[in-house]
Amino acid sequence: MRSDNFLESSIKGISEITQDWLADFGGILMFLGSFIYWTFKRPYRIREIFRQMDFVGVQSGMLIIMTGAFTGMVSALQGYNGMSRYGAGSLVGATTALALARELGPVLTGLMVVGRVGSAMTAEIGSMRNTQQIDAISSMAVAPIQYLVSPRIIATTLTLPFLSVVFGFSGMVGAYLIATQYLHIDAGAFMSGIKDYMTPNDVTQGLIKAFVFGFLLSLVACFKGYNAGGGARGVGVATTKSVVLSSVLILFSDYVMTTIMF
Amino acid sequence: MIQVDNIQKRFAEQEVLRGVSFQVRQGSITTLIGRSGAGKSLLLRHLIGLDQPDIGKILIDGKDIVGMTTSELNTIRRRFGVLFQDGALFDSMSVRDNVAFPLKEHTKLSENEILDKVRQKLELVGLLSHGGKYPSELSGGMRKRVGLARALALGPDLVFFDEPTSGLDPITRGAIYRLIENTHIDGEITYFLVSHDITGVMAISDEVIMLHQGKIIAQGTPEDFRTNPDPVVQQFLLGSPDGPIAID
Ligand SMILES: Nc1ncnc2c1ncn2[C@@H]1O[C@H](COP(=O)(O)OP(=O)(O)OP(=O)(O)O)[C@@H](O)[C@H]1O
Ligand SMILES: [Mg+2]
């Protein structure tokens, strides 16, 4: 009985969410159009872009370093556990590096930034919408998309690849420490494994992914905030939806890009 | 000059504006009055191009702003000043930065020149010593005055004030009316006000317009209004609970 209800409500939930997303799709495309229009129109808001880069990048630094380090440490442990079963334990450096560069770096950075930055963007723009601050910007002959949205999307898109690199790098430091100190793998073997098996292409793929994730998550965050109605509750709902939709989009586009670049 | 021609606006079942037409004379102080919920703020939003009517025309200096693109609207809005009913201040910016915003956006003044102008405008509304505060640290009336300073910052020639004196003490209210009169230049600068303060607006307005049940039911000089025989107008002016207007 309980599981029936659970199944039923899950199916209903899924169909509701899907309908929601389909309805969003058109809106997001229009939003994207006006983002492009206003971004290439003067004045360019360089200062605002740098301010946002500081918020997205610099202020996320510690979080990314910590999550990166733990991810690298876990990857090293799990990788070693698996690979030592067929005597390839010393290659743990290479597999961790590949995983971090191609997959874990961009995806986990994207998801962390959704939580820290995307949610804040939706909430901030949403509350500006609900207190008529966006109308005030319009009334002063400034385009809110150009003033609020463009700098955020540009900054996030450009910053995410950097954060992903930071994530990967601190992940490798973590993996190195675990491998050499805890698993007693020879440092030379750890490093040469990386040199032998990793190609620049692995890094490029990760950077492209991070770039796309940054764009998607900030586009969704700004869209949801810009269209948030219904007061404080509406902003809350918009923020939740923004986080869910951008997380799913990141994982979905990750799959698509991996298939294409495989 | 503003010319509004038969605008209609509805939200679902509610017809808020049901064919509103009127003109605002170039260089006048014109005040829109009407009951709470009559649609005054909504009408103002239409005049600024923030809302689109379902039908109707809004001509500003002969150009219909209905259906204009944002870029076209912005050319016209550059001459506007707008005071929102709730202030609509940027809460992430200090009072000073709020007032500086339009100056930074639309002038080539240096930082110092902007700072000078901001001080001057804040002095005008009696908030010179509060420039460093944030909107959340201000009282309701102070916020209103910051909004006023921001609206007047660029020296606009068409200003919309949504209830400039509500929530102010009598002395500040008097000061705001004086400010409105002093900054207004007859024949050149047009001020369009929304207000519930009948005594105050009768004293400073050239023209008064009354919005009732989605239509303009009276327009004329304050004197015309006082002598208007319409019992609806008279009840509103007197503030009497008894009369043709029912309290719902
Ligand atoms: N976005 C909207 N959606 C639905 N209804 C709205 C919307 N905007 C305004 N209304 C309705 O239009 C009517 C007029 O609102 P408006 O704010 O213009 O009143 P007002 O005359 O300014 O009142 P007050 O003097 O109290 O400020 C109200 O009944 C309001 O509920
Ligand atoms: Mg109002």
Side-chain angles (χ1 to χ4, degrees), chain A residues 37-72:
Chain A
Y37 176 81
W38 286 107
T39 299
F40 291 102
K41 220 171 139 83
R42 277 169 194 280
Y44 307 124
R45 305 201 172 256
I46 309 293
R47 188 196 290 216
E48 213 27 50
I49 294 177
F50 277 110
R51 227 172 58 86
Q52 291 300 326
M53 280 179 146
D54 176 64
F55 174 63
V56 179
V58 180
Q59 294 180 41
S60 301
M62 212 49 224
L63 173 76
I64 295 300
I65 288 173
M66 293 214 327
T67 46
F70 284 120
T71 306

Side-chain angles (χ1 to χ4, degrees), chain B residues 10-12 14 16-17 34-45 51 85 162-163 194 196 211:
Chain B
R10 67 183 307 152
F11 294 104
Q14 190 190 3
V16 185
L17 304 177
R35 294 191 68 197
S36 176
K40 303 181 296 300
S41 298
L42 183 69
L43 182 54
L44 215 61
R45 291 177 59 83
D51 277 329
Q85 188 165 1
D162 199 344
E163 306 201 4
V194 168
H196 288 303
L211 178 66

Side-chain angles (χ1 to χ4, degrees), chain B residues 47-66:
Chain B
L47 300 183
I48 309 160
L50 293 173
D51 277 329
Q52 295 286 329
D54 301 328
I55 335 179
K57 282 192 200 141
I58 299 166
L59 299 154
I60 293 191
D61 287 340
K63 288 190 203 117
D64 191 357
I65 64 164
V66 176

Side-chain angles (χ1 to χ4, degrees), chain A residues 2-16:
Chain A
R2 270 186 69 118
S3 74
D4 263 12
N5 279 337
F6 177 74
L7 197 69
E8 202 176 292
S9 72
S10 299
I11 290 171
K12 215 166 124 203
I14 289 170
S15 85
E16 263 169 30

Side-chain angles (χ1 to χ4, degrees), chain B residues 131-149:
Chain B
K133 286 190 177 166
Y134 281 81
S136 63
E137 299 164 344
L138 300 177
S139 75
M142 288 161 88
R143 256 177 254 155
K144 186 131 267 179
R145 285 183 280 156
V146 176
L148 202 60

Side-chain angles (χ1 to χ4, degrees), chain A residues 182-257:
Chain A
Y182 183 72
L183 300 171
H184 304 296
I185 293 171
D186 177 54
F190 183 91
M191 297 306 284
S192 69
I194 299 173
K195 271 196 213 109
D196 291 348
Y197 290 103
M198 201 149 131
T199 66
N201 184 35
D202 296 317
V203 178
T204 316
Q205 279 197 21
L207 291 180
I208 293 173
K209 282 184 175 179
F211 187 86
V212 173
F213 297 160
F215 177 74
L216 288 176
L217 84 87
S218 51
L219 181 70
V220 169
C222 291
F223 170 76
K224 284 291 183 187
Y226 203 77
N227 293 295
R233 209 184 120 80
V235 174
V237 171
T239 307
T240 305
K241 287 189 171 172
S242 153
V243 168
V244 172
L245 180 58
S246 24
S247 305
V248 171
L249 271 180
I250 284 180
L251 296 172
F252 174 72
S253 63
D254 180 44
Y255 171 73
V256 173
M257 285 189 283

